[in-house]
Amino acid sequence: MPQRLAPFILGAALVRAAIGATTSIAAFPDPPVDESGHHAAKRESAVLAGGCFWGVEAVFDHVQGVVNAVSGYSGGNKKTAHTVLVEGGGTGHAESVKLTYDPAKITYGQILKIFFSVVHDPTELNHQGPDIGPQYRSVIFYGDDDQKNVAEAYIRQLDQAKVFAGKIVTEVVPLHGFYAAEELHQHFSDRHPDNPYVVANDLPKLAALKKKFPELYR
């Protein structure tokens, strides 16, 4: 994966992509609606895509209430859920992360707030920072109507409030399958904190998470 493994110089554009287009969390509202709460007694899952899955997973690996995060592929079929094929951009897959979380400790709406304000810039179409192609698009793969309603309402709210300079391009689509990526991709940023790509693109996201959500950082 030459796009990710090549060294990158950390500059203003990459910092902006890493922490989103907002300058203050005070301007970032909470979701207007959240999960109904009828699943609060059991663990839930969420599948999100927002650029390279290394960075998405790195953030949620450090969020209180997230029990597990797995890098993988969603949007295409099982036969094409392999790094070499997905990197070509024609499989329909987006690099995604499946989160297992405890709804008694963190809600789906809170997860989306982190997704939009820290994980990526949702106004970038088919790319994030140095990574270009539909495999790096912004997607919320919803598992039920609760998740769909929370996501759509939040996007409307953020657009109407003009939280970002541009219009949000995040897709909200049903989850038809999630396929875990190869082991080398799992928790990559935590295992390789000195990797040039991680230093330039992922560590700023962790710094933003700690600054904006200290109560949820672990």
Side-chain angles (χ1 to χ4, degrees), residues 1-64:
M1 286 149 299
Q3 286 181 311
R4 277 201 294 261
L5 296 180
F8 291 93
I9 298 174
L10 181 60
L14 289 182
V15 173
R16 180 180 178 277
I19 65 175
T22 57
T23 58
S24 172
I25 196 65
F28 215 99
D30 292 324
V33 296
D34 211 333
E35 290 175 308
S36 64
H38 63 279
H39 298 310
K42 67 176 185 177
R43 291 176 176 177
E44 290 291 307
S45 64
V47 178
L48 306 171
C52 172
F53 45 28
W54 292 352
V56 180
E57 184 185 52
V59 170
F60 286 108
D61 273 341
H62 290 272
V63 172
Q64 294 278 3

